[in-house]
Every structure is written in C-alpha cells, then in structure tokens.
Amino acid sequence: MAVKQKILIVDDDNNIAELISLYLTKECFDCRIVNDGEEALKTIPVFQPNLILLDLMLPGIDGYEVCREVRHKSNIPIIMLSAKGEVFDKVLGLELGADDYMIKPFDSKELVARCKAVLRRFQPTVSAPEPQTVVKPLKIVTYPDLEINLSNYSVLHQGKVIEMPPKELELLYFLASSPNQVFTREQLLDHIWGYEYVGDTRTVDVHIKRLREKLGENDYWALSTVWGIGYKFNVKNV
C-alpha cells in the first residue's frame, strides 16, 4: 500500500482548516491542523509534512516568519493562503521562499490541483528497499561554475551548495536544459507550476530575480531577459 503524503494545514480559522482537511483527506492525503505559527514550527519536525499550507495572518508568529524559519532549515514546499490579494503581498511571500500563493476564498478543486502539482514536482529521495536494482538516468545540467541536479534537488555554484526552494531550482534547471532558447512567462508558468496559473505572471519575474541574486554574474552563462517576450539561459561563446 502506498504511503500517504502528509500535508500540514496552518490556519487560525479552524472552520476553514477543517474544510481544507476534508477536501484533501478525500484525495487520500494525511492532514494535520495547527492554529498558530509557534505550534507549526514545533509540529513540522515531528509530523514531517510533504507540503505546508500556510495562512499568513496568524496569531503570534505570522505566516511570513514561519516561512522564513522553515526555509532556513528545509525545502519543504509551501503554499501560502491569504485574504490579501495585493501584488506586494504575493511578491513578498514568493521572495521568502513560498512555492505558490492562493487568495481566499478559493475553489476547493483548484486548491487540490495546486497541492498535487507542487507535490508532483518535489519528490524527496526516499530510501526504501526495491525488489531489483533500477538505474534511473540522472537529471543533471552542468556548466562552468554551475551544476544543477534535479535528481536530488541540489545546486552547486563555484563548488558551494546553494540553497533553493523547489520552484527556483526547477525553473533554473528547465531554462538551463534548453540553452539560448527563449520562453515566455506563460510557458514557464505552465512547465514549472504544472497548471494554468491564476494571477499575474510576475511570479516568474520574482523567481528569476532571486536566482540572479544567488548566482550573480558569470563569464560563461547568464539568466537573460528578452524584452517583451520572457527569459532564456544565455550561454556565451568563449
């Protein structure tokens, strides 16, 4: 029997949390509810969720701070939930390392679809016995001073490990896998997020900005903006 994936629901409105849990339990997820940020930080290492649904407006430690604390220690996927629909709030959440941002009230089917999409793209390595040895091709892209490994979700930059949330790493891997090919923001949303994103395409801009801050400049390659179109992983001729 397959092990159920675990989702931690962090929301101070227990009625909403119970409703979310009901939807996800029907989809065969193992859900746990906590109602404040402090309890969430205590529960995460014990429950070890595969995904966190994180409300922003929490008593005590708010959702932004919870996200920041989680990202210091883990790349567990996080979907932020908020009644705040301003671009600033979305961008701040994404900059702190959230993988997605949903505005309340939301459709239950969309919530389930987004949870599945995020989980589908972030499958941690599980050490379990297999009936036979299966050699799987490694998903690694290598350039001077840069190695992106999608098999174990790691990035080496100038010989040092760079911490990245799953979506950042997936976006970098996708672009670097097709050097010098231009992708629109809509194409990147579709490939990385795996569903038709509800909201503006600034999500991609925020992730590109964070990648540039972490990787800096390089003589051999760059994350380039193609004005009016989108982005590409530009490999320079040397």
Side-chain angles (χ1 to χ4, degrees):
M1 182 180 294
V3 177
K4 290 184 178 180
Q5 290 183 298
K6 296 183 286 188
I7 298 179
L8 180 64
I9 303 165
V10 188
D11 200 312
D12 62 333
D13 188 328
N14 208 51
N15 291 327
I16 292 178
E18 291 284 357
L19 192 61
I20 293 172
S21 179
L22 178 64
Y23 294 142
L24 294 172
T25 301
K26 287 181 178 178
E27 297 293 325
C28 297
F29 290 108
D30 179 9
C31 298
R32 183 173 297 186
I33 297 171
V34 297
N35 301 123
D36 62 71
E38 184 176 356
E39 187 64 23
L41 293 175
K42 292 178 181 178
T43 303
I44 290 167
V46 178
F47 185 52
Q48 296 186 342
N50 301 99
L51 170 67
I52 300 172
L53 296 180
L54 179 61
D55 184 39
L56 293 183
M57 304 303 291
L58 297 170
I61 303 174
D62 66 18
Y64 291 120
E65 185 60 29
V66 172
C67 183
R68 187 182 289 110
E69 289 296 321
V70 171
R71 280 293 167 262
H72 284 160
K73 303 174 183 177
S74 171
N75 279 337
I76 299 170
I78 296 173
I79 299 178
M80 285 187 170
L81 309 176
S82 177
K84 294 183 175 182
E86 299 297 325
V87 171
F88 170 80
D89 297 301
K90 295 180 185 178
V91 171
L92 178 57
L94 293 168
E95 286 184 336
L96 289 174
D99 298 278
D100 201 356
Y101 188 108
M102 291 192 70
I103 300 171
K104 296 179 179 180
F106 42 74
D107 180 79
S108 60
K109 292 181 180 178
E110 182 187 351
L111 174 64
V112 171
R114 292 199 185 197
C115 288
K116 288 181 177 180
V118 169
L119 287 167
R120 192 164 55 242
R121 280 161 176 74
F122 183 69
Q123 298 293 340
T125 302
V126 178
S127 55
E130 296 184 359
Q132 61 183 44
T133 302
V134 178
V135 179
K136 297 180 180 180
L138 295 177
K139 296 181 179 180
I140 301 175
V141 178
T142 304
Y143 292 97
D145 298 328
L146 182 66
E147 179 183 284
I148 311 156
N149 188 329
L150 194 63
S151 298
N152 63 7
Y153 274 77
S154 66
V155 174
L156 284 176
H157 179 240
Q158 296 179 345
K160 296 180 180 179
V161 176
I162 303 296
E163 294 296 331
M164 288 186 184
K167 284 292 178 287
E168 280 184 33
L169 192 148
E170 290 163 12
L171 178 59
L172 179 62
Y173 179 87
F174 181 76
L175 289 169
S177 297
S178 302
N180 297 325
Q181 183 174 341
V182 180
F183 295 95
T184 66
R185 291 170 176 82
E186 290 78 9
Q187 286 175 321
L188 293 172
L189 283 171
D190 182 60
H191 279 90
I192 306 305
W193 276 256
Y195 52 82
E196 189 167 347
Y197 189 76
V198 179
D200 57 55
T201 55
R202 191 165 177 189
T203 300
V204 175
D205 299 336
V206 172
H207 281 72
I208 292 289
K209 175 176 176 287
R210 291 210 308 258
L211 285 170
R212 285 172 172 163
E213 289 172 351
K214 292 177 179 180
L215 299 176
E217 297 183 359
N218 191 278
D219 293 333
Y220 303 97
W221 47 263
L223 285 168
S224 301
T225 301
V226 181
W227 297 108
I229 302 177
Y231 297 100
K232 69 176 179 177
F233 189 87
N234 186 39
V235 178
K236 305 170 186 178
N237 294 321
V238 292

